[in-house]
Amino acid sequence: MRSLAVTFSLDDNIGRLFLLRFSDLSCIIKFMTYNIQLQVAGFITVLVLTIVFCSKKRWKSIQNSIFRILMFVTLLELALDAISVVTICHREQMPLVNMLLSKAYLVAMILYIYTIDIYTLSNTLYENISRRRLRAKQIVAGILTGGMLAANIVIVMKELLFGGEGVKVFSYGTPSDAVYIFSTASVVFVIATLIINHRHIPIQRQISIYSFCVMEGIVAIVQMFNKELLIVGFGSAMTILIMYFTLENPDMEIIAKLNEANKRSRDLLLNILPEKIADRLQQEQSTFTQEIPDASILFLDIVGFSSLSNKVGSVRIVKILNALFSNIDNLLGRHSVEKIKTIGDSYMAAAGVPTPYTNHCEEIIGFSKDILRLLKLFNQKYKIDLKIRIGINSGSVVAGIIGKKKFVYDLWGVSVNLASRMESYGEVNRINVSPSVYKKLKNSAKIKFEELGERDIKGFGTMKMYAVV
């Protein structure tokens, strides 16, 4: 599986004398200056990561449980790798010990690869998995287990051979071939599994698993041309390191989960409140109001909603209402207009709040024209004849959030009431506006008005109304 190289190049006779003396560590010292430091560095790295990983709280998941096992398996593999490197120096004096530790290392290597395979398979156990797919994964797990056991039986039963002289002493034979075969099959399995399930496996986990394939490939290529290097164990340690820092670090996973939860909360808050108000509410965590000297308010109402509901049925009319208001919501992105709320079949929006700006009247009229164009297409699609009234007024308002529970961003003031009256007293499928809107835009080259005459407006007396042409 890997070269078991040593840097022992002394004369054979002198070498035997050194080997017979247990206290003489010259062979080990010479070897350590060459490449046993890779095994030691890898072992220390994984040991530190294991201690940190096991000492901190983390999210309970099958992947994290398997990763914990993988860390201990990697520690065992690295420990046996380093020890077998030392015993190879004394293989002539203690052949049984050398053979036992060298084979134990190969068995640990198979166990490490198998654990990676199971870790990869566990990432395909996504939500709503069908029983057929689950059964298929159980069969695959059984095949992997059988392959691991078969490879380990071969390693234990067959003789492990050693070749080379001097600084290039390496292992070969059927046991090493069994590890190569299982390792190659595992890399193919891992890549195929990731490709088939790439939509269900988070990208962080894909990176960590692909690192195993990359390390296996690099190690195989490097040791093919440099038998004096011992880098298999170090490659395993680097794989664990990449996995830890790309995903399995408990701090990172907790932060990722918290960020995801915060994003969901933020998105939900922005569906209820304007962004500026949401930011202020998160910082102050208290209700507030603000006076805005000039803004434009729109009210939209469906004509004859009650009779239409009785005609087509409550369930269908609610679905139609939801579809219409959802389409109107989509128009908000084209204009600097804030949706305030819906009440039954009424839709309220405003321009110039919460951040005031000068051309709010033009903006909300442009929004209203898009609504009328939308309504024509909507009626054709749903084969219905919805009619609406739109009323707009401009003036000062008080905006903000009041109360303690189920709060909403709302507008108050005389200007809001008059906008509602413009809708109630207006003409069907037209944009009805108050005198204040007409006064601001009567000289506009883009917007033309038609005078609708005087109306007796409840709460406001006799007042002229206008409609956008």
Side-chain angles (χ1 to χ4, degrees):
M1 173 57 192
R2 51 121 177 106
S3 47
L4 296 173
V6 297
T7 57
F8 183 68
S9 58
L10 298 174
D11 179 80
D12 288 344
N13 293 326
I14 299 176
R16 290 193 185 94
L17 293 175
F18 276 101
L19 292 172
L20 290 173
R21 294 178 57 185
F22 182 77
S23 60
D24 191 344
L25 303 178
S26 61
C27 174
I28 300 175
I29 293 173
K30 286 185 178 183
F31 185 83
M32 290 180 67
T33 61
Y34 201 78
N35 56 35
I36 198 174
Q37 63 269 26
L38 292 177
Q39 282 80 354
V40 174
F43 181 84
I44 294 174
T45 299
V46 177
L47 179 62
V48 172
L49 291 179
T50 304
I51 294 173
V52 174
F53 183 83
C54 295
S55 64
K56 292 189 175 184
K57 292 183 179 180
R58 55 188 174 81
W59 296 95
K60 292 183 179 180
S61 66
I62 186 172
Q63 290 82 13
N64 281 345
S65 298
I66 296 174
F67 182 73
R68 178 194 289 267
I69 296 173
L70 180 62
M71 298 185 83
F72 285 104
V73 169
T74 308
L75 280 176
L76 175 64
E77 176 210 339
L78 289 169
L80 290 172
D81 191 13
I83 295 173
S84 63
V85 164
V86 175
T87 60
I88 194 68
C89 294
H90 305 274
R91 63 191 175 100
E92 294 182 359
Q93 278 64 42
M94 41 184 180
L96 292 178
V97 174
N98 175 62
M99 184 65 69
L100 175 63
L101 291 174
S102 296
K103 286 191 173 184
Y105 162 73
L106 295 180
V107 170
M109 190 68 193
I110 287 285
L111 184 59
Y112 163 80
I113 298 170
Y114 171 78
T115 309
I116 290 282
D117 292 342
I118 296 301
Y119 177 84
T120 302
L121 194 61
S122 71
N123 281 281
T124 66
L125 299 176
Y126 44 85
E127 293 182 2
N128 301 322
I129 184 173
S130 65
R131 291 187 177 181
R132 175 186 289 183
R133 287 181 176 271
L134 182 59
R135 180 61 177 168
K137 295 180 192 304
Q138 291 172 342
I139 293 173
V140 171
I143 294 173
L144 291 175
T145 303
M148 181 196 70
L149 293 176
N152 283 335
I153 290 173
V154 170
I155 291 171
V156 173
M157 298 300 294
K158 298 293 182 178
E159 184 179 2
L160 180 63
L161 305 177
F162 301 93
E165 295 294 338
V167 297
K168 293 184 179 181
V169 179
F170 55 91
S171 64
Y172 67 96
T174 304
S176 292
D177 293 340
V179 179
Y180 273 119
I181 292 171
F182 187 77
S183 177
T184 302
S186 295
V187 169
V188 173
F189 163 76
V190 167
I191 293 175
T193 301
L194 290 179
I195 292 175
I196 294 172
N197 299 276
H198 71 279
R199 293 183 179 180
H200 302 287
I201 302 177
I203 185 63
Q204 297 95 328
R205 293 195 187 277
Q206 292 188 45
I207 292 173
S208 64
I209 299 171
Y210 274 126
S211 67
F212 161 76
C213 302
V214 173
M215 284 296 173
E216 285 292 300
I218 291 175
V219 165
I221 294 172
V222 171
Q223 290 208 175
M224 184 183 300
F225 299 101
N226 299 275
K227 294 184 180 299
E228 70 277 5
L229 294 180
L230 297 177
I231 61 172
V232 171
F234 187 74
S236 302
M238 291 301 98
T239 300
I240 295 297
L241 186 66
I242 293 172
M243 294 177 74
Y244 184 87
F245 282 108
T246 53
L247 179 68
E248 302 301 343
N249 186 334
D251 292 336
M252 288 186 175
E253 184 138 0
I254 289 174
I255 291 171
K257 293 287 185 180
L258 289 175
N259 287 340
E260 184 180 348
N262 287 336
K263 184 180 182 301
R264 287 198 301 267
S265 299
R266 173 74 175 177
D267 291 342
L268 180 61
L269 198 59
L270 291 178
N271 280 332
I272 301 172
L273 305 171
E275 184 175 4
K276 181 179 178 180
I277 302 303
D279 293 338
R280 180 172 175 179
L281 188 64
Q282 285 181 312
Q283 293 174 1
E284 298 182 3
Q285 297 183 349
S286 61
T287 56
F288 59 90
T289 58
Q290 63 175 141
E291 186 173 357
I292 299 175
D294 196 22
S296 293
I297 309 98
L298 172 148
F299 277 91
L300 178 153
D301 189 76
I302 297 177
V303 178
F305 182 78
S306 298
S307 60
L308 186 62
S309 179
N310 293 331
K311 182 179 179 181
V312 303
S314 300
V315 175
R316 183 165 184 262
I317 196 63
V318 169
K319 290 182 178 179
I320 292 173
L321 184 66
N322 176 64
L324 177 62
F325 284 178
S326 296
N327 284 323
I328 294 175
D329 287 345
N330 292 335
L331 297 176
L332 293 169
R334 304 179 188 176
H335 304 274
S336 298
V337 175
E338 287 287 348
K339 177 182 178 180
I340 303 302
K341 61 184 176 181
T342 59
I343 305 175
D345 62 324
S346 297
Y347 190 102
M348 180 181 178
V353 295
T355 304
Y357 61 93
T358 55
N359 63 329
H360 51 82
C361 270
E362 295 96 324
E363 196 69 25
I364 205 159
I365 287 178
F367 175 64
S368 303
K369 288 182 177 180
D370 281 350
I371 292 176
L372 291 178
R373 284 190 287 267
L374 167 68
L375 182 64
K376 292 181 180 179
L377 299 175
F378 186 86
N379 284 334
Q380 293 174 4
K381 178 179 179 180
Y382 286 89
K383 295 179 174 55
I384 198 170
D385 187 23
L386 288 181
K387 295 181 175 62
I388 63 173
R389 283 191 300 262
I390 297 176
I392 298 174
N393 180 45
S394 292
S396 63
V397 297
V398 175
I401 297 174
I402 59 175
K404 293 184 177 180
K405 294 183 179 180
K406 296 183 179 180
F407 48 79
V408 294
Y409 182 72
D410 210 346
L411 306 179
W412 300 271
V414 175
S415 298
V416 177
N417 296 335
L418 183 55
S420 178
R421 296 290 187 268
M422 291 298 103
E423 177 273 311
S424 301
Y425 290 85
E427 294 188 354
V428 175
N429 287 346
R430 302 198 71 178
I431 304 169
N432 307 282
V433 302
S434 66
S436 62
V437 175
Y438 171 76
K439 183 178 179 180
K440 290 181 179 180
L441 301 178
K442 63 181 180 180
N443 296 323
S444 173
K446 297 180 180 180
I447 303 174
K448 302 301 179 182
F449 296 94
E450 175 188 343
E451 185 176 331
L452 299 178
E454 292 186 343
R455 307 285 173 92
D456 186 14
I457 308 297
K458 183 180 178 180
F460 293 90
T462 303
M463 182 180 294
K464 285 185 178 181
M465 286 186 62
Y466 301 85
V468 177
V469 177

